[in-house]
Amino acid sequence: MSVSQFGRAILLTGVTAGFLAGTGIANAGCAQTDLVGNWQFYIVTFDGSNVTDAGWVRCGVNIGATAANNVRLATGAVCKLDTGANVAITTTGSTLTVSPACSVTGTIRTNVANLTAAQITMSLDQTRLTGVGALTGGQLFMLNAEKY
């Protein structure tokens, strides 16, 4: 399997997981308040050009409600990279929104890169997020998150 095939396999796995997670969710009735709280994000990154460019990021994120149609990431959230470095999430412009059909959109901004949701779905019990997106610079990511 070539590196690009491997990258497509990872992306396909994430898209399939997001699709399967979303098949019964349309009637779940998600609301903005379902995003509010403490989350642990686990993110796998890959740019498709070299398997050594794959990496992971773990973020403890506190999401607080600031407006009826918008959820902002609270200050103090930090991501730990696979290199051991810590990266703070920037609250300006870091927003996540959930639709009544449990589709999550938005961007998480850091001083290193922005993560933009392409297809992220909230679970039926509103405690998990699964999906895919893109990072600044063209890398792709697959996200799993757990509310605690």
Side-chain angles (χ1 to χ4, degrees):
M1 178 180 287
S2 73
V3 172
S4 64
Q5 288 172 322
F6 179 71
R8 284 192 292 267
I10 288 175
L11 179 59
L12 181 59
T13 301
V15 170
T16 302
F19 177 77
L20 291 175
T23 56
I25 292 185
N27 296 322
C30 290
Q32 287 302 104
T33 55
D34 295 326
L35 277 174
V36 175
N38 295 312
W39 291 83
Q40 186 69 43
F41 283 37
Y42 299 96
I43 301 165
V44 176
T45 62
F46 186 75
D47 73 2
S49 66
N50 187 333
V51 74
T52 60
D53 287 338
W56 59 264
V57 181
R58 181 185 74 230
C59 303
V61 179
N62 180 335
I63 301 176
T66 60
N69 296 315
N70 199 2
V71 174
R72 279 193 191 278
L73 302 179
T75 58
V78 174
C79 297
K80 185 165 197 77
L81 308 180
D82 57 352
T83 61
N86 290 326
V87 177
I89 291 176
T90 305
T91 56
T92 303
S94 289
T95 59
L96 294 176
T97 302
V98 63
S99 74
C102 300
S103 177
V104 178
T105 57
T107 300
I108 298 173
R109 299 184 187 282
T110 73
N111 62 345
V112 175
N114 297 330
L115 293 86
T116 301
Q119 173 73 40
I120 296 178
T121 305
M122 182 175 275
S123 64
L124 287 171
D125 63 0
Q126 289 88 21
T127 63
R128 290 178 305 282
L129 303 174
T130 302
V132 294
L135 285 127
T136 306
Q139 281 190 317
L140 303 174
F141 72 83
M142 187 167 73
L143 171 130
N144 286 299
E146 185 80 22
K147 193 174 191 178
Y148 63 97

